[in-house]
Amino acid sequence: MLIALTVSSQNSVDEDPEILQNTINYHIVEAQNAIEHYKYYQAQKKLDDALDLANKIDYKKSIGVIYAAKGQLYLIIDKPEDAIKSLNKAIEVQRIINDNENLGKSYKIFGDVYYSKKNYYLALDQYTAAKSKFQEEGLNDRLADLLLCEGKIYVALKNNRKARVLFEQSIALSRKLDLSKTLSNGLISHADVYYELGDNDKALFLALEGVQIAKTNNYSEILDDAYLTISKIYESKENFKSSNEYLKAHIKLSDSIISVKRANLSPDMQVKFLMNDQSESIKRQAEDLKKAKDDKDLSTLISILSVALITILSLLTLSLYKNNNIRLKTNNMLHKKNGELIIAKEKAELASKTKANFLSTVTHELRTPLYAVTGLSNMLLDEDPKPEQIQHLKSLKFSGDYLLTFINDILQINKIEANKVDIEPEPFNLKKKINNIVLALNNSAIDNNIKIHFEYDNDLPENFIADQLKISQILINLIGNSIKFTKDGDIWIRVYKINQEGGIYTLRFEVEDNGIGITQEKQEHMFESFSQGSIQINRKYGGTGLGLSIVKGLIEILKGKIYLKSELGKGSTFYFEIPLEYTKEQEKEAIEKKTNYLKKVDELDLSNIKILVVEDNKINQMITKKILTKMQLSCDIVDNGEEAVDMIKTNKYDIILMDIHMPGISGIEATKIVRTFDKELTIFALTAVTIEDKMQEFDEAGFTDIIPKPFKQEEFEKKLFNALTKSKTATA
């Protein structure tokens, strides 16, 4: 009697919904802990047990939560399709019972799955749905993590400005709610954005704060990403020792995390999990069989079926174990090869970065002496040289201009390879643009006895929105090449439509000539940097061998492709296809007239104009002073930033011409100091660096404008004239 009462009591406990619900919750919590410690199969077992119990009592809310958790687990172990199936089940249940809080979590995980599959816009849709649910329920802690995920999407889409705003919102919310993990992750991601935007100091500050939080809380995966980010920042700041130390720390931690994950994802673990599962199944069947022995009608049949089932399961388990042993060996070999490939890739990337930095530094340094070469040759040509000297001076000027073109080509190649070339679309008339290019190059064509033919499809509209400067540069390079390698012949330029989708036209541009042609062997390398037909062709026709490489890079930036057809001795045809957007908007007419600014300066009262030249190079001092004297302007000259600041404090100047690289404090630092006591003074940066590389830094320092070296005298005079005119208007 007592035994029967005990059994009855036990059954009622097992069937009690409240106790079952507590057990389900306990399994879910244990599963989450197992995931955090990379024990994925243990987590899967806990979730399966929880799902069985939830189905037993038909508790919809827990069923939805468990399917969402299984979706997250499948995402972690790289089974996105299984994750999608599980999440669809979760969302279906949660919609029916209006469980908005957990529905938002499911949408968030769905977004993570699409992010892993690089379906970024689908991921954003899921994040938007999740955000709506979190806002309805007032779940600000969930919003902070969601903003962080959205920011990472925009980083992947190369929209760093939008990403920065989202990261700032996530960080602010995380600080307010004391969400250390989201805060640490957000700071590291924010640092990555500032690194891409070129602000290394801000990036380093954010990354180090994120590392401190990750170390304190032992967030190993965030710490792993942080070490790599800091390594990149230090490399960009040319602190290679610190960069190498953080890179080593990243590799060590990354290997440790991968090892732990692999141990929990190994085939041996899978077999162990399966065998344990099958053992439990066999035990249950044995118990059922034992009970069935009391039933005379089915005992024999059940015994036979049970033995057969156990035998089949044993054979399947043994087969799976052997197969997985083979897979384990293969995976180990693949991991080893993958590690070697990663190291080789990192070495190649470092070599490429080093090459780019070296070329950038060398070319920047060359621009400073070129300022002296071009400046002196121009001045000497303007000073009535002897007839026998004119040709020598023109040759000197030509050599300087050629070298400057070569340097600019190298800098542009570097920018294209580093993805630092921005697209600037604007309305323009395509037919008119190409006509202007033909007119500009026609004199060179006439010199080679070439006739240029231009054919524009009559059914093709003329007005488009695109980056017309890049299209011009592409056509000038290709037509210029044809002129260079053709004598006594013809060049045909053709433009026509090959496809149209709405307002987007895919156009084909062809540049055909009947010049010397290119061999099949040389065609394979024509679009590589420093590549020409041969050394003899290089000597005979000149050129840097960079033009076609630049053309290919620009066309790819415009989302197009370029092709080449050529036959030696018969000519070549270069053709490329790019998408252009049709517009009804007319091109704004730009009226450009060459102005004699020296003559206009005469109209100003220059008696009280004071200019300070800050330049440490004696030759450059002399050239700048000569140009100013020619403009009837007097100037003071100092050769360092400290003295410049003192002179500006004790004298009233109208314009400052500030060199950037000087002994002591730089021109940038000197300008920052000046701006602390004079916000209105006109300060021009005289610099040999490319404007795009330092534009943000120049703006923050407070420069009025930039004059790049070596500058064209007319451009120099124009900027001074405009500054003097504004000064006169302001004082009038």
Side-chain angles (χ1 to χ4, degrees):
M1 186 71 178
L2 180 61
I3 295 172
L5 187 61
T6 304
V7 171
S8 175
S9 175
Q10 180 65 45
N11 288 338
S12 65
V13 168
D14 289 343
E15 299 296 329
D16 185 274
E18 185 176 350
I19 293 174
L20 286 174
Q21 184 57 55
N22 290 336
T23 305
I24 291 168
N25 293 339
Y26 178 70
H27 283 325
I28 293 172
V29 171
E30 280 197 321
Q32 292 295 342
N33 289 333
I35 289 172
E36 289 180 5
H37 291 87
Y38 311 114
K39 297 178 180 179
Y40 302 128
Y41 284 95
Q42 182 179 331
Q44 184 176 343
K45 184 68 172 64
K46 294 293 181 185
L47 291 173
D48 287 341
D49 291 344
L51 186 60
D52 287 342
L53 291 174
N55 283 323
K56 188 173 184 179
I57 60 175
D58 195 29
Y59 191 54
K60 300 293 187 185
K61 184 172 182 179
S62 290
I63 292 172
V65 170
I66 294 164
Y67 274 125
K70 287 169 74 73
Q72 184 180 27
L73 176 60
Y74 286 133
L75 170 62
I76 292 170
I77 63 176
D78 197 24
K79 292 184 176 180
E81 300 308 321
D82 290 339
I84 290 172
K85 291 177 183 177
S86 190
L87 287 166
N88 278 326
K89 291 178 181 178
I91 290 170
E92 182 181 357
V93 172
Q94 289 160 349
R95 280 176 176 168
I96 292 172
I97 63 174
N98 292 321
D99 184 6
N100 286 337
E101 178 180 348
N102 289 311
L103 183 57
K105 295 177 185 178
S106 297
Y107 284 139
K108 160 66 171 57
I109 299 169
F110 227 136
D112 294 340
V113 173
Y114 281 127
Y115 175 73
S116 73
K117 291 164 67 68
K118 297 185 179 179
N119 292 337
Y120 299 126
Y121 292 104
L122 288 177
L124 283 174
D125 290 342
Q126 295 297 327
Y127 288 151
T128 301
K131 185 185 293 184
S132 174
K133 297 302 177 184
F134 292 155
Q135 287 172 340
E136 285 178 25
E137 301 298 321
L139 300 172
N140 288 334
D141 56 332
R142 295 285 177 180
L143 275 175
D145 186 47
L146 194 62
L147 290 166
L148 175 62
C149 292
E150 284 185 319
K152 290 182 178 180
I153 292 284
Y154 282 105
V155 168
L157 293 172
K158 307 296 184 185
N159 189 342
N160 288 319
R161 306 288 180 184
K162 177 70 173 177
R164 186 172 65 180
V165 172
L166 290 165
F167 288 147
E168 286 171 353
Q169 292 174 354
S170 175
I171 289 169
L173 199 54
S174 299
R175 290 191 195 278
K176 181 180 177 181
L177 301 175
D178 196 24
L179 306 173
S180 58
K181 190 167 188 178
T182 305
L183 177 58
S184 176
N185 201 346
L187 288 166
I188 302 305
S189 300
H190 207 190
D192 266 323
V193 169
Y194 274 104
Y195 166 76
E196 292 296 333
L197 293 174
D199 191 342
N200 290 320
D201 292 334
K202 181 71 172 178
L204 186 60
F205 175 79
L206 292 167
L208 291 174
E209 184 183 355
V211 163
Q212 187 60 46
I213 297 170
K215 281 184 176 178
T216 302
N217 295 277
N218 196 27
Y219 301 142
S220 56
E221 293 192 358
I222 296 175
L223 205 56
D224 182 35
D225 292 337
Y227 286 154
L228 181 59
T229 296
I230 296 174
S231 174
K232 293 190 297 184
I233 295 169
Y234 274 125
E235 182 186 354
S236 184
K237 290 169 71 69
E238 298 185 1
N239 185 343
F240 298 113
K241 181 180 178 183
S242 296
S243 175
N244 191 42
E245 288 173 355
Y246 275 98
L247 182 60
K248 287 180 179 177
H250 159 67
I251 293 172
K252 182 179 179 181
L253 182 56
S254 182
D255 286 345
S256 175
I257 293 171
I258 290 170
S259 297
V260 173
K261 287 183 176 181
R262 185 176 295 110
N264 286 283
L265 288 172
S266 68
D268 281 344
M269 288 295 294
Q270 295 181 37
V271 172
K272 184 178 178 182
F273 179 82
L274 179 61
M275 290 181 70
N276 288 338
D277 195 48
Q278 296 297 344
S279 296
E280 289 180 10
S281 177
I282 291 169
K283 284 179 183 178
R284 285 197 300 270
Q285 291 176 16
E287 289 172 2
D288 292 340
L289 183 61
K290 186 177 179 181
K291 291 178 182 178
K293 285 180 180 179
D294 297 332
D295 190 342
K296 301 296 184 180
D297 295 334
L298 298 175
S299 60
T300 304
L301 179 60
I302 291 173
S303 298
I304 293 171
L305 290 175
S306 297
V307 171
L309 181 61
I310 291 169
T311 303
I312 292 169
L313 287 173
S314 299
L315 290 171
L316 286 173
T317 303
L318 180 62
S319 174
L320 181 62
Y321 180 75
K322 288 183 177 180
N323 288 338
N324 279 293
N325 269 341
I326 296 170
R327 191 180 301 169
L328 175 62
K329 292 178 182 178
T330 306
N331 283 344
N332 287 338
M333 182 180 69
L334 288 173
H335 174 63
K336 182 180 177 182
K337 294 295 182 184
N338 188 49
E340 292 173 356
L341 286 172
I342 290 171
I343 293 172
K345 176 177 175 288
E346 289 173 348
K347 287 181 178 179
E349 288 176 348
L350 181 60
S352 177
K353 187 74 176 288
T354 303
K355 180 206 76 172
N357 288 338
F358 170 75
L359 286 175
S360 182
T361 301
V362 169
T363 49
H364 290 163
E365 290 301 318
L366 285 172
R367 291 169 76 93
T368 298
L370 265 179
Y371 174 53
V373 173
T374 57
L376 286 172
S377 57
N378 280 327
M379 285 165 48
L380 290 171
L381 282 168
D382 289 342
E383 292 178 354
D384 297 324
K386 296 178 181 178
E388 62 272 17
Q389 293 175 330
I390 292 176
Q391 190 56 45
H392 297 314
L393 290 172
K394 285 184 177 179
S395 297
L396 179 64
K397 182 178 183 301
F398 173 81
S399 298
D401 291 340
Y402 177 85
L403 185 55
L404 180 59
T405 301
F406 183 50
I407 289 169
N408 289 336
D409 282 350
I410 292 175
L411 289 173
Q412 186 160 22
I413 286 289
N414 270 350
K415 285 179 187 172
I416 290 172
E417 290 179 351
N419 293 321
K420 289 185 177 180
V421 179
D422 295 324
I423 298 177
E424 299 178 2
E426 57 183 321
F428 75 107
N429 187 301
L430 178 61
K431 185 175 182 180
K432 181 179 176 183
K433 174 63 64 177
I434 300 175
N435 268 321
N436 290 339
I437 292 170
V438 171
L439 287 172
L441 297 175
N442 200 45
N443 286 336
S444 299
I446 291 171
D447 289 342
N448 281 2
N449 195 24
I450 296 169
K451 186 174 181 180
I452 299 179
H453 311 269
F454 176 34
E455 302 171 9
Y456 192 90
D457 188 349
N458 291 330
D459 297 328
L460 191 64
E462 297 182 7
N463 294 313
F464 294 94
I465 296 177
D467 192 325
Q468 60 168 317
L469 292 178
K470 290 181 177 58
I471 293 174
S472 296
Q473 190 173 358
I474 292 165
L475 290 171
I476 288 169
N477 264 297
L478 293 178
I479 299 169
N481 251 16
S482 290
I483 292 172
K484 185 191 301 183
F485 296 109
T486 304
K487 300 287 183 184
D488 305 321
D490 295 270
I491 294 174
W492 294 268
I493 302 162
R494 305 182 186 93
V495 183
Y496 53 92
K497 178 183 75 174
I498 61 172
N499 190 32
Q500 179 184 354
E501 293 184 8
I504 304 299
Y505 286 70
T506 301
L507 304 187
R508 174 173 288 182
F509 297 75
E510 292 184 0
V511 179
E512 180 183 354
D513 64 65
N514 50 15
I516 63 174
I518 307 165
T519 65
Q520 190 63 39
E521 179 186 359
K522 300 299 181 185
Q523 288 181 38
E524 297 174 4
H525 307 286
M526 284 306 296
F527 296 105
E528 296 174 5
S529 299
F530 303 101
S531 174
Q532 286 193 329
S534 67
I535 295 174
Q536 292 79 9
I537 287 175
N538 188 18
R539 295 297 186 195
K540 180 176 180 180
Y541 294 97
T544 63
L546 291 172
L548 290 178
S549 180
I550 292 172
V551 164
K552 184 174 184 289
L554 292 176
I555 289 172
E556 288 175 349
I557 289 168
L558 296 175
K559 299 180 180 179
K561 293 182 179 180
I562 186 168
Y563 308 91
L564 165 63
K565 293 189 298 185
S566 184
E567 189 175 344
L568 194 62
K570 294 187 177 180
S572 305
T573 302
F574 288 87
Y575 60 100
F576 62 94
E577 298 166 0
I578 56 173
L580 297 180
E581 181 182 355
Y582 167 70
T583 180
K584 295 180 180 179
E585 186 177 351
Q586 296 293 316
E587 180 179 7
K588 294 179 181 178
E589 293 292 335
I591 301 173
E592 293 185 7
K593 294 182 180 179
K594 190 170 181 180
T595 307
N596 187 342
Y597 289 99
L598 282 175
K599 183 177 179 181
K600 284 205 168 190
V601 168
D602 291 340
E603 301 170 6
L604 298 173
D605 180 12
L606 306 178
S607 58
N608 295 322
I609 299 297
K610 294 188 71 176
I611 295 176
L612 178 64
V613 178
V614 188
E615 170 68 72
D616 65 313
N617 186 292
K618 299 298 181 184
I619 297 175
N620 291 348
Q621 287 178 4
M622 180 266 290
I623 294 171
T624 305
K625 184 175 182 179
K626 192 97 174 179
I627 293 171
L628 293 173
T629 301
K630 194 174 181 181
M631 295 177 69
Q632 301 176 20
L633 292 167
S634 59
C635 64
D636 294 331
I637 296 176
V638 294
D639 58 9
N640 62 77
E642 293 93 338
E643 191 174 348
V645 174
D646 292 338
M647 290 285 285
I648 294 168
K649 283 181 178 179
T650 55
N651 297 275
K652 180 172 175 53
Y653 290 103
D654 296 279
I655 294 175
I656 310 297
L657 300 176
M658 182 78 73
D659 188 29
I660 298 302
H661 299 295
M662 295 181 291
I665 65 173
S666 68
I668 290 176
E669 293 300 321
T671 301
K672 287 180 180 178
I673 295 171
V674 171
R675 288 307 183 205
T676 61
F677 60 84
D678 192 333
K679 303 289 186 185
E680 303 300 326
L681 181 60
T682 300
I683 306 177
F684 287 110
L686 294 181
T687 173
V689 303
T690 51
I691 295 175
E692 295 87 347
D693 291 343
K694 297 287 184 179
M695 181 60 80
Q696 184 179 355
E697 194 173 352
F698 289 149
D699 286 343
E700 290 174 354
F703 284 102
T704 307
D705 203 348
I706 299 166
I707 302 177
K709 298 178 186 175
F711 50 75
K712 295 181 179 179
Q713 187 165 326
E714 182 186 346
E715 186 67 23
F716 180 72
E717 293 169 358
K718 176 181 177 181
K719 291 199 174 185
L720 286 183
F721 171 76
N722 289 337
L724 292 172
T725 303
K726 287 179 183 177
S727 176
K728 180 182 177 182
T729 304
T731 56

